[in-house]
Amino acid sequence: MRYRILLFDVDNTLLDFDANEEEAFKAVMKEMDQAWSEELFETYKELNTDLWKRIERNEVTVEQGVNRRFSDLMAKYGKAVDGVLWEKTYRKYLNLGIQEIPQAHQVLRRLEESGHELYVITNGVTKTQESRMARSGLDQYFREMFISGRIGAGKPSGEFFDYVKSHVPGFEEKEALVIGDSLSSDIRGGADAGIPTCWFTRNADAAARDRALEESGAKPDYIIGSLPEIFRFV
């Protein structure tokens, strides 16, 4: 066994957050009597991407950021809304999202049965991540879930990874592997913490993958396009 401890991201690594996000967004727009459009959703995604980059840089907390993202969004369209209420509504639908990445259950079950120690490392709101993992049944494979909303620090910060290291019994960097889709939080954070990394780049062609690597400067130890590929090196 090359890696005893496997640290899995959740969104777009185990659960299909992109699909979940679009469903929840449409539901919020319908409940709030706001016309949905592809352009509105794309604007939201751009705003939300920028928000999580700010969270990763510790410029705002998760709670501060998510509670104003809908008010910031609708302000772009000349409408003042209660950002906290809209976020609460969005969270209600987001918590229901359990669309899985293909073969997630099979891969996690096989890893657990082979003696690997599995942990979740995720940025997000604690209740949402716990709810989605429990409803999907994926939580059963993990010894503990390290969630930024509960820890008070998120990936890629050293504080987050130091917390993980101190709460995993017998943690050794060389025996651990970070698996995630984000070059900026998972791969950078793991590398900075001295932990080997595996970049899960689902649906990316070779040119897009190489461009992302060049722009980010990240150097993952492994790259996979589907979860079962992990068995090549764990």
Side-chain angles (χ1 to χ4, degrees):
M1 183 186 299
R2 181 176 296 181
Y3 299 108
R4 174 175 59 90
I5 301 166
L6 303 180
L7 307 173
F8 278 91
D9 175 45
V10 171
D11 293 324
N12 290 329
T13 301
L14 299 176
L15 293 176
D16 190 339
F17 183 75
D18 291 342
N20 183 195
E21 179 182 45
E22 184 167 358
E23 278 191 9
F25 188 86
K26 287 180 177 178
V28 171
M29 295 302 110
K30 182 176 181 180
E31 183 163 332
M32 295 303 182
D33 198 27
Q34 170 66 43
W36 181 90
S37 70
E38 190 67 39
E39 189 267 343
L40 178 64
F41 184 51
E42 289 301 319
T43 301
Y44 166 80
K45 288 197 294 183
E46 291 175 6
L47 185 153
N48 197 47
T49 297
D50 289 341
L51 163 65
W52 282 99
K53 287 180 179 178
R54 294 182 63 204
I55 291 172
E56 289 175 7
R57 296 193 296 265
N58 292 320
E59 295 174 3
V60 295
T61 66
V62 172
E63 184 176 5
Q64 290 170 339
V66 299
N67 279 334
R68 61 173 297 170
R69 59 183 167 185
F70 281 101
S71 56
D72 287 349
L73 171 66
M74 298 313 298
K76 292 179 176 290
Y77 295 87
K79 180 177 290 189
V81 303
D82 184 337
V84 175
L85 175 61
W86 279 51
E87 177 62 25
K88 183 178 180 179
T89 304
Y90 177 63
R91 190 68 45 191
K92 174 179 66 176
Y93 292 112
L94 201 63
N95 289 357
L96 302 177
I98 58 172
Q99 299 93 326
E100 296 171 23
I101 297 297
Q103 302 186 67
H105 267 285
Q106 295 93 321
V107 168
L108 294 175
R109 184 181 300 114
R110 181 177 164 187
L111 287 170
E112 183 189 39
E113 290 175 349
S114 63
H116 292 85
E117 300 173 19
L118 309 183
Y119 296 87
V120 159
I121 55 169
T122 180
N123 285 347
V125 176
T126 303
K127 184 177 179 180
T128 296
Q129 300 301 67
E130 288 180 339
S131 173
R132 294 170 65 228
M133 289 293 287
R135 287 174 60 83
S136 69
L138 295 177
D139 62 332
Q140 66 183 293
Y141 305 109
F142 293 93
R143 300 190 176 201
E144 190 167 349
M145 294 196 295
F146 298 107
I147 305 173
S148 65
R150 180 162 54 222
I151 293 173
K155 301 176 294 185
S157 72
E159 291 85 350
F160 180 90
F161 283 94
D162 285 345
Y163 184 95
V164 172
K165 291 179 182 180
S166 67
H167 286 77
V168 173
F171 189 92
E172 294 284 346
E173 284 87 351
K174 65 181 180 181
E175 295 182 347
L177 181 69
V178 171
I179 304 104
D181 71 298
S182 172
L183 290 171
S184 61
S185 63
D186 300 311
I187 306 308
R188 175 188 157 197
D192 287 349
I195 306 170
T197 61
C198 173
W199 182 34
F200 180 32
T201 174
R202 185 172 61 113
N203 301 329
D205 59 32
R209 180 196 65 197
D210 292 344
R211 184 167 57 252
L213 287 170
E214 183 177 356
E215 291 175 353
S216 69
K219 295 181 179 179
D221 296 277
Y222 308 98
I223 299 175
I224 58 174
S226 67
L227 287 178
E229 292 179 51
I230 198 172
F231 293 109
R232 291 190 285 108
F233 47 80
V234 298

